[in-house]
Every structure is written in structure tokens, then in C-alpha cells.
Amino acid sequence: MSYHANEKGYYGEFGGAFIPEMLYPNCEELRQNYIRIMSEPSFQEEFHQLLKDYVGRPTPLYFAERLSEKYQTKIYLKREDLCHTGAHKVNNTIGQILMAKKLGKNRIIAETGAGQHGVATATVCALMGIECVVYMGEIDIERQAPNVARMKMLGAEVRAAKSGSRTLKDATNEAIRDWINNPVNTHYIIGSVVGPHPYPDMVARFQSVISEEIKWQLQEKEGKENPNYVVACVGGGSNAAGAYYHYLDTPEVGIIAVEAAGKGVNSGESAATSALGKVGIIHGSKTLLMQTEDGQITEPYSISAGLDYPGVGPMHAHLYKSGRGEFISITDDEAMTAGLEMSQLEGIIPAIETSHAFAIFDYKKFEKDDVIVINLSGRGDKDLQTYIDYFRL
Ligand SMILES: *Cc1c(COP(=O)(O)O)cnc(C)c1O
């Protein structure tokens, strides 16, 4: 049994491509070519060169001594916070911009909620000198002004989605409409392991560099490739997919996924998608999503903008349903406390998304000899104001 996507893009019962007829040619072009292009030596060479010289890979695998001491187990941190632009997202946008070039595209579109994926996309478009249009809900444009400014500074055009709730899902609709109207010259860069096949699998493969590195780094430090557990926070699930990727079919490595409970799983203000989700279709993919009795998507809530997504990628829905992954929900308060603790124990201020992953120790006990790898998905600079307001610093 494999926990990777099959040829049709299914992880168990989840995944696939549920798209309007008019989008079929775009997805089909990508589906027919992505694996072939990714395995070309020239692609691999350029991808790895950019990851090294531009992104700053390999990112360190750091033994967190004081954190380990406190929780009486061996904790390693995979430092994706040290990637250029401050998080793992750029691994995927580098991969996809190279894919777009190979497919002969000269225009990029993307959607963004908090703006982090928009910034990572605008960054690689600037790097390649390619036109970039980012769709963003009108409300999010107001809430995330610094990221809007970053995207503009990088030369991207930010277009406001003014329909519906004027947030992420409306921006996604606008981006899909754009893609339908510009099928020949435009590539749509999706920012997580979500969307119709082949996106979840393609994005997971680009992010898989994370666990590829963990394996040899752990071999160097511990004399073995496999940790006892690999832990990551899950919004759409891309940093988690990258951290799990090379361990998915290794049952002795435990997989722990951390979701945002917001104000509590049963508070009505939550983003604990797997715990609360039911099977449905979002963004062209069959997965678990938060919805009302009659199938309307529920607005998610989390203090961290990056975990504030009503669905979860099909890989994670399958990990949840099959029991391969252990899912833990962490509230805003628990995450904020863990973020502060992490800052003061290790001198690393994590993104609030990542702080959720550091809060698992109240829920999960480890043995003294266990080796735990936590994926430190991003740095907390972007969240400083939220930390300051929360702790009245
Ligand atoms: C965007 C983001 C996430 C959530 O996205 P995934 O696709 O679930 O990884 C997590 N951490 C950071 C730092 C982010 O920027």
C-alpha cells in the first residue's frame, strides 16, 4: 500500500480533478507533461542550482538542545525559516516557474490569502522576468498591506477579488476564470498541495526536497535516516507533504499533522479541517472540508493566516482517514504560548503557523530516545505585530 498519489491523482478516495469542462485542456497539458519535465536532467539541474544559490538550500537540520531538555526527548528542527523569503513556499514557486518556462508560458497567475504565496510567486516571476498577476480578496488586501506592498515592489500586479466574501475562495475563482480565458500563454501557480490533479502531487514533489535533505542530514547526525516522528503544521499541507514525502511508505516513521483549532475545535471559530471536515469538493479536488449540512463551505478561523484554509490537501485527508497520520488540533492560545517559549528557549521566533507544531508536547508524550523532526516552516517576522498585540510586549 502506498500513500503517494496514483496515476489519476488519487490518494485513497481523495484527490482527482473535478474541474469545469473549459479548464480541462489546461490541466491536461500539465498532467501529460509534469513528470516527464521534472525528470529531465536539464530541469533537475536548474531546479537544484536555484534551490542552492537562490533559496539557500540545503537548510540546516538543527538539534534543539534546550527544547529537547525541556521535553525529555531528542528534537531536531528543519530550518525552512531560513529559505529566501522566510518560508518553504518558495521551493514550490521555483519549481513551478521552471515548469511554466518548459511549457512555453510567458505569464503567471496566482491567488493568495494572507499574501505569503503571492510574495513567493512575485519573487520567482521577478527572478525570471515573467509577467505576474496575483488575485487577492479585497478584504485580504486591506488586512495584509505589507505583503501587498512586497508584491508590488517585486513588479507583480495585485488584482482585487470583489465578489462574495472577498477573501481567498473568491480570489481562487477569479484566478480560475483568468486561466480559462488565457489557456495558451498562462500558467497558474497554486501554492499548496491542493487543487485538481496534478497539482497536489506536483507541489508535493517540489517540496519533497525537505525530507530528501532530512534523510541524509539525520544519517550524519544520528547514524540513521529515519526519525521516530516527523511533525508539521497543516494549512493546505505543502510543508507537511514535503517533510513527510520520503517517509510516507515507511511505517516505522510516525507522521504527526498539526491543525489550527482556532478558539477551539467546537467553538465555531476553527480551522481544524480534518477533525471537522466532511468529504466534498473544493478547488477541483475531492477532500475533507469544513461545510454546512447543505454543503456550503464554512469560513475557517485561525490566528495564523497561513492555516486559515477550509480544506486540506487530498494526501492529508487520506493520511487522516487511513490512520497513517496522527492529527492534533492546537488552539490560538496554545500556539502563541509555544511560539514565545520557542523564541526564548532557542532564539528562533517562528511563524505562528509553525508555532502550532511546537505546541504538541502537552498532547503527545515521547520516549527519551525518540528522535523527533519538527518542520520549522517559516520565520515569525511577518507575525511580529500579532505576537506583540497578544502578549502586550
Ligand atoms: C503558508 C504557510 C503554511 C501553511 O501552508 P502549507 O501549505 O500547509 O504548508 C505554514 N507555515 C508557513 C510559515 C506558511 O507561510
Side-chain angles (χ1 to χ4, degrees):
M1 168 137 177
S2 174
Y3 291 90
H4 290 273
N6 71 16
E7 220 167 279
K8 294 205 163 89
Y10 276 89
Y11 299 84
E13 66 178 290
F14 302 107
F18 297 82
I19 50 175
E21 189 73 32
M22 284 159 76
L23 208 55
Y24 185 76
N26 310 43
C27 286
E28 193 53 18
E29 182 188 27
L30 197 56
R31 188 190 69 79
Q32 285 179 6
N33 292 294
Y34 81 110
I35 290 185
R36 177 184 57 78
I37 289 174
M38 282 175 78
S39 51
E40 282 171 8
S42 65
F43 183 94
Q44 282 297 322
E45 194 178 318
E46 197 176 358
F47 182 51
H48 285 286
Q49 196 71 47
L50 284 170
L51 289 182
K52 178 166 180 268
D53 295 335
Y54 188 72
V55 174
R57 305 203 73 90
T59 58
L61 182 70
Y62 163 70
F63 177 62
E65 196 172 334
R66 280 173 29 92
L67 198 65
S68 298
E69 174 79 38
K70 168 144 195 197
Y71 293 108
Q72 290 294 299
T73 189
K74 281 176 136 172
I75 304 168
Y76 285 88
L77 307 178
K78 182 59 173 161
R79 299 291 309 274
E80 294 301 296
D81 60 317
L82 297 178
C83 289
H84 176 49
T85 69
H88 66 288
K89 285 191 174 72
V90 72
N91 302 325
N92 168 48
T93 57
I94 291 269
Q96 285 203 48
I97 197 96
L98 295 178
M99 179 66 62
K101 275 177 48 176
K102 289 274 187 190
L103 291 169
K105 311 289 175 180
N106 60 16
R107 179 173 178 269
I108 294 295
I109 55 170
E111 90 286 331
T112 196
Q116 295 301 112
H117 172 57
V119 171
T121 302
T123 299
V124 298
C125 288
L127 175 69
M128 296 295 169
I130 291 181
E131 182 187 348
C132 179
V133 175
V134 179
Y135 290 92
M136 192 168 183
E138 203 171 34
I139 302 258
D140 289 332
I141 288 180
E142 283 166 27
R143 288 194 290 208
Q144 310 289 345
N147 278 338
V148 174
R150 283 188 189 101
M151 287 184 263
K152 288 183 177 165
M153 180 132 185
L154 291 161
E157 181 193 338
V158 180
R159 282 193 197 160
K162 298 180 177 176
S163 62
S165 58
R166 295 176 293 151
T167 57
L168 180 61
K169 72 174 160 42
D170 312 290
T172 303
N173 290 339
E174 296 284 335
I176 289 173
R177 201 165 302 146
D178 183 314
W179 206 23
I180 288 172
N181 291 328
N182 300 284
V184 178
N185 74 334
T186 298
H187 174 70
Y188 177 18
I189 298 189
I190 293 182
S192 190
V193 286
V194 299
H197 178 58
Y199 279 98
D201 184 49
M202 179 172 70
V203 175
R205 286 170 188 254
F206 287 138
Q207 292 291 359
S208 73
V209 65
I210 298 172
S211 48
E212 193 182 306
E213 289 173 5
I214 293 172
K215 284 189 110 171
W216 63 257
Q217 290 173 321
L218 210 55
Q219 180 69 47
E220 273 181 16
K221 290 178 194 297
E222 288 285 327
K224 58 176 189 182
E225 287 188 333
N226 297 342
N228 295 86
Y229 295 93
V230 50
V231 183
C233 64
V234 174
S238 68
N239 87 86
Y244 305 158
Y245 194 87
H246 291 283
Y247 297 119
L248 284 171
D249 296 337
T250 310
E252 58 269 31
V253 178
I255 284 174
I256 299 179
V258 186
E259 292 190 311
K263 295 185 175 160
V265 173
N266 298 313
S267 66
E269 291 181 83
S270 176
T273 316
S274 305
L276 294 170
K278 294 191 189 69
V279 179
I281 292 180
I282 182 171
H283 215 148
S285 176
K286 185 177 173 192
T287 189
L288 291 171
L289 59 130
M290 291 168 34
Q291 51 189 310
T292 58
E293 295 275 307
D294 51 357
Q296 294 295 316
I297 293 171
T298 316
E299 279 288 324
Y301 163 81
S302 164
I303 194 168
S304 93
L307 301 183
D308 196 349
Y309 181 71
V312 64
M315 173 197 284
H316 302 292
H318 183 49
L319 291 173
Y320 179 79
K321 204 74 186 282
S322 65
R324 172 71 182 95
E326 185 174 344
F327 282 66
I328 297 176
S329 306
I330 296 296
T331 65
D332 289 355
D333 291 336
E334 291 164 338
M336 296 303 275
T337 304
L340 185 65
E341 177 184 88
M342 178 65 194
S343 304
Q344 298 185 356
L345 276 178
E346 295 291 347
I348 299 169
I349 302 174
I352 298 175
E353 289 86 353
T354 319
S355 292
H356 287 72
F358 291 120
I360 61 169
F361 296 99
D362 288 338
Y363 292 95
K364 174 91 186 161
K365 296 290 171 238
F366 299 98
E367 302 292 327
K368 202 161 180 358
D369 294 336
D370 281 347
V371 173
I372 324 291
V373 175
I374 302 181
N375 199 36
L376 212 175
S377 57
R379 62 176 173 246
D381 305 37
K382 68 180 177 63
D383 296 320
L384 213 53
Q385 195 58 51
T386 311
Y387 280 125
I388 288 169
D389 294 344
Y390 185 89
F391 291 111
R392 302 174 199 275
L393 300 173

